Amino acid sequence: MLIVMSAQATAEEIREVAARAESLGLQAHSIHGQQRLAIAVTGLREALNPMVFETLAGVIEVIPLTLPYTLVSREAKSEDSVVLIGGVPVGGPHFAVMAGPCAVESPEQIHAIAASVRRAGAHILRGGAFKPRTSPYSFQGLGREGLVALHDAGREWGLPVVTEALDERSLEVVCQYADMVQVGARSMHNYPLLKACGRAHLPVLLKRGMGSTVEELLLAAEYIVSEGNRSVVLCERGIRTFAEHTRFTLDLSAVVAVQRLSHLPIIVDPSHGTGKRHKVVPMARGAAAVGANGLLIEVHDDPGHALSDGQQAILPEELAELLAQLPAILPLTGKALAPHASIAATA
Ligand code: PEP
Ligand code: MN
């Protein structure tokens, strides 16, 4: 339920609305618009009765939302949210590129790739230290050691870092070293992890489950935001279909659908979304053209020997070429490459 306050509402009137919600066991979340404040009230559906609030001073309208999610909806906030990741803005007019290997394999590997993705123009360094692998016999990641290497490489090259947490335990470690935590496609339905991310002080990159609808993705985001963390970036990474020419089917129309329904930024991962190197750059250009807020791309300097996902990693030179092409595409959707976090020491 959304309570729209009059532009002249006093602080006392706003407090009164929040207090009334809390006395009913509901949660009140302020949403600041350009003209006025709205209060999103969430909680058990049975307790959400608009009549209780309609007559309170300063209230001009109570909208009983028909959507199953509230805080992440466009109805609650019409302007695009911009999420800051270690100083890099993602969302609204800003288009940011997150790039790096699937997994951190060694300090030397991540330092070399950090240097090359920074030179190519990427904004954020990615690299998994806790890997959700399909087979238990595949490389599972370097854990804390990998996070230290990722963090050091990012700091050296002026790149904030994003990495996946698989569960609440790894989330604690990730929070010590990363600028953004990734919730992977397989974890989109891990509700305790989503709630823990909602209480964490890092922005969250939430990937769409490979068998999930857009509504389920937005409900997963609602879990995070309802716990207090508003810094959520969504990611379309492909869904399972009958197609055999591709590993997953990258659903670019989900970007358009999400932007209509939600104010949260959405980026696209054409690496997992296709599973094949030759499709990554064309689909990345497509993502920019449909209006995505950024890209998540796997890059490796020696894909033939990568410990995971080498078949879908592009070379640093290919990333540089893509970044050089983006300024021709982004103005079509009113976007531009985001500013970098800081000038890298040795770039
Ligand atoms: C990844 O980004 O390395 C990853 C495992 O992605 P997903 O969760 O989308 O499969
Ligand atoms: Mn991967």
Side-chain angles (χ1 to χ4, degrees):
M1 181 167 65
L2 195 64
I3 301 175
V4 183
M5 301 300 293
S6 128
Q8 285 77 39
T10 64
E12 185 49 40
E13 288 168 348
I14 293 165
R15 263 198 303 277
E16 182 53 37
V17 171
R20 183 64 66 91
E22 275 149 28
S23 74
L24 295 167
L26 299 165
Q27 292 85 44
H29 317 254
S30 318
I31 298 172
H32 296 268
Q34 266 155 9
Q35 314 266 308
R36 52 172 56 98
L37 179 101
I39 302 174
V41 177
T42 59
L44 288 179
R45 291 189 161 260
E46 305 75 61
L48 292 167
N49 178 2
M51 278 180 348
V52 174
F53 296 92
E54 270 160 5
T55 51
L56 296 183
V59 172
I60 49 170
E61 197 181 357
V62 180
I63 306 169
L65 296 182
T66 45
L67 297 166
Y69 40 83
T70 304
L71 301 171
V72 304
S73 73
R74 273 266 178 228
E75 289 184 19
K77 180 169 178 269
S78 57
E79 304 101 48
D80 291 342
S81 285
V82 175
V83 174
L84 277 181
I85 301 149
V88 175
V90 182
H94 306 291
F95 188 95
V97 177
M98 310 183 186
C102 179
V104 178
E105 299 170 10
S106 69
E108 296 71 32
Q109 173 246 20
I110 192 69
H111 276 267
I113 297 178
S116 62
V117 302
R118 178 65 184 85
R119 285 197 191 103
H123 300 85
I124 292 166
L125 179 65
R126 65 148 286 150
F130 298 98
K131 294 302 304 172
R133 302 304 301 280
T134 304
S135 163
Y137 307 117
S138 300
F139 176 58
Q140 304 284 310
L142 297 179
R144 186 189 288 268
E145 197 192 318
L147 290 180
V148 173
L150 178 72
H151 173 272
D152 291 352
R155 289 297 175 269
E156 184 174 346
W157 293 95
L159 296 165
V161 301
V162 55
T163 192
E164 178 161 356
L166 288 178
D167 49 25
E168 289 173 72
R169 259 214 351 240
S170 53
L171 175 63
E172 271 182 39
V173 198
V174 164
C175 284
Q176 293 167 25
Y177 296 100
D179 300 290
M180 180 180 222
V181 56
Q182 176 173 319
V183 174
R186 291 159 191 79
S187 301
M188 197 203 88
H189 292 292
N190 181 342
Y191 302 111
L193 178 62
L194 295 176
K195 286 186 181 182
C197 286
R199 294 186 295 269
H201 298 287
L202 279 189
V204 181
L205 178 61
L206 175 63
K207 299 187 89 173
R208 178 182 180 186
M210 51 196 85
S212 305
T213 62
V214 162
E215 182 168 299
E216 287 162 344
L217 172 65
L218 293 175
L219 280 165
E222 185 87 6
Y223 262 95
I224 301 170
V225 179
S226 66
E227 292 288 329
N229 189 348
R230 297 179 184 208
S231 297
V232 177
V233 175
L234 306 170
C235 180
E236 162 58 37
R237 51 79 70 211
I239 50 173
R240 187 77 83 186
T241 66
F242 54 81
E244 285 174 353
H245 63 278
T246 181
R247 184 166 175 220
F248 293 98
T249 295
L250 188 64
D251 180 11
L252 288 183
S253 76
V255 173
V256 185
V258 162
Q259 287 176 338
R260 205 179 154 109
L261 297 168
S262 173
H263 54 85
L264 295 177
I266 177 161
I267 67 167
V268 169
D269 172 354
S271 304
H272 294 88
T274 63
K276 309 213 186 221
R277 182 172 311 129
H278 70 278
K279 290 195 167 77
V280 172
V281 169
M283 295 310 282
R285 289 192 295 252
V290 298
N293 298 110
L295 293 164
L296 180 71
I297 299 193
E298 289 190 340
V299 177
H300 204 287
D301 51 3
D302 184 8
H305 292 98
L307 294 184
S308 69
D309 283 350
Q311 75 291 344
Q312 66 193 32
I314 60 170
L315 292 165
E317 305 86 272
E318 293 172 285
L319 180 71
E321 208 177 311
L322 170 66
L323 266 134
Q325 293 170 346
L326 290 174
I329 301 172
L330 294 174
L332 301 174
T333 66
K335 293 183 176 54
L337 287 172
H340 286 88
S342 60
I343 305 300
T346 39

